[in-house]
Amino acid sequence: MSLNELDYSGAVLNKDDPVLRTDGLKKAFGGLVATDDVTLEVERGSITGLIGPNGAGKSTLFNLVSGFYDLDDGQVFVNDEEVTDAPPHEVSRAGLVRTFQTPRRLEGMTVREAMLVGPRPQVGESVLSLFTSPSSVTEEESFNIDRAIDLLERFEIDHLIDQPSTELSGGQLKLVELARAITTDPDVLLLDEPVAGVNPTLANDIKRFIKELNDEGQTFCIIEHDMSFIMDLADPIIVLDQGRVLMEGTPDEVRNDPRVIEAYLGGGE
Ligand code: ADP
Ligand code: MG
């Protein structure tokens, strides 16, 4: 059974202070429409959840708004600045930073070094030159290093700072990725499945860290497959299905919406 066209009520719009807005985003891969007219807003200060069955287009949406994929159609605004078709470093400069579903393993780098490869560009020089010529470290960059170390302490992984990043567990790598993204001080941080493959204890820690950072003002938009995790953390939650926004609501509204249940069942989950 597939959902009727009319069953898609879309996202809640005209929010007070959206840090991210998309308008009519479209993306197809060959004949497959991965993102179909996605219009949504992420309110500043919120933890906005993004859920949907496998293949619903969640990661594609992150790739589109963060400049990693080219759009077929539509517009993206970060802090009211249009970043449609802008490359990732310009989108991050505008205030939007994302993490990846599968964090990149930074071969040959320690955690300390990996932390410095921020999504924001280190202006005019390669990251490694920070280590070979410390005098080239600018004030802003040294601030970032301190901030990075603070975050590692807070995430209770500061003892790993001189470990090769390839030796970290999946969960530890997620924390490094999170810390690294926070270091760039984004206005909105997009997390793609922050607890996928992470053990339950560490997943709980990650939930707590996200809550604390949000209490301090950090805005998040989070894709997560683990329902109890996202229902605990996010409000509102936007539900994607077959590339479209099925609905947006509170965790309770989403949990009790028959369309959401049907979308998940129809998606074979
Ligand atoms: P989700 O993250 O919700 O599981 P994705 O956004 O990864 O879903 O994928 C949505 C659809 O787009 C899937 O059918 C997927 O196979 C397809 N897709 C995503 N990225 C690409 C790509 N780079 N090339 C071809 N197809 C893709
Ligand atoms: Mg995905």
Side-chain angles (χ1 to χ4, degrees):
M1 185 158 46
S2 75
L3 288 159
N4 187 296
E5 186 92 353
L6 296 171
D7 289 338
Y8 289 79
S9 54
V12 175
L13 303 178
N14 301 313
K15 289 174 177 159
D16 286 342
D17 185 13
V19 57
L20 167 66
R21 283 192 292 130
T22 75
D23 186 13
L25 298 191
K26 283 211 168 84
K27 180 70 180 178
F29 298 105
L32 180 112
V33 180
T35 306
D36 190 1
D37 199 17
V38 169
T39 299
L40 55 77
E41 298 175 352
V42 172
E43 178 75 342
R44 198 180 307 278
S46 70
I47 300 179
T48 299
L50 190 61
I51 68 168
N54 265 333
K58 305 179 296 294
S59 294
T60 300
L61 181 62
F62 271 17
N63 281 320
L64 291 173
V65 299
S66 57
F68 283 86
Y69 285 174
D70 290 332
L71 286 163
D72 292 341
D73 202 3
Q75 290 171 293
V76 183
F77 300 86
V78 174
N79 289 314
D80 278 332
E81 179 186 340
E82 180 160 9
V83 293
T84 310
D85 298 326
H89 69 271
E90 278 177 26
V91 181
S92 65
R93 202 178 292 135
L96 180 146
V97 168
R98 55 83 59 88
T99 65
F100 289 85
Q101 189 168 342
T102 311
R104 295 150 294 174
R105 294 216 171 246
L106 296 155
E107 292 287 335
M109 285 195 190
T110 65
V111 169
R112 184 194 305 272
E113 290 159 351
M115 286 288 289
L116 291 165
V117 192
R120 267 180 213 204
Q122 311 269 343
V123 186
E125 61 185 341
S126 83
V127 173
L128 287 175
S129 73
L130 294 177
F131 303 99
T132 52
S133 54
S135 63
S136 67
V137 176
T138 66
E139 221 168 87
E140 189 193 347
E141 285 156 353
S142 19
F143 168 77
N144 283 348
I145 294 165
D146 291 344
R147 175 93 168 114
I149 292 171
D150 280 351
L151 283 161
L152 292 180
E153 281 171 8
R154 178 169 183 166
F155 293 170
E156 295 151 17
I157 50 170
D158 48 308
H159 58 288
L160 299 173
I161 194 153
D162 291 315
Q163 296 266 321
S165 57
T166 43
E167 285 176 16
L168 302 189
S169 73
Q172 290 167 338
L173 206 59
K174 293 267 193 193
L175 279 175
V176 171
E177 178 102 343
L178 178 59
R180 185 168 54 160
I182 299 270
T183 303
T184 68
D185 205 17
D187 294 306
V188 56
L189 181 52
L190 274 46
L191 307 179
D192 195 346
E193 302 205 14
V195 297
V198 171
N199 75 57
T201 310
L202 193 50
N204 255 322
D205 289 343
I206 291 176
K207 192 195 286 176
R208 178 165 50 89
F209 298 140
I210 292 171
K211 272 188 178 143
E212 284 174 13
L213 291 161
N214 179 251
D215 285 343
E216 292 160 21
Q218 178 66 54
T219 307
F220 289 94
C221 181
I222 304 178
I223 295 174
E224 187 45 63
H225 208 67
D226 179 331
M227 280 297 167
S228 70
F229 180 90
I230 200 73
M231 295 276 171
D232 250 18
L233 200 55
D235 188 0
I237 293 174
I238 298 170
V239 186
L240 281 188
D241 177 53
Q242 300 180 49
R244 307 179 58 193
V245 179
L246 179 58
M247 57 107 47
E248 171 176 342
T250 65
D252 271 344
E253 285 165 349
V254 166
R255 199 180 285 126
N256 296 313
D257 194 302
R259 295 169 301 174
V260 176
I261 297 162
E262 186 182 323
Y264 272 86
L265 294 177
E269 306 215 358

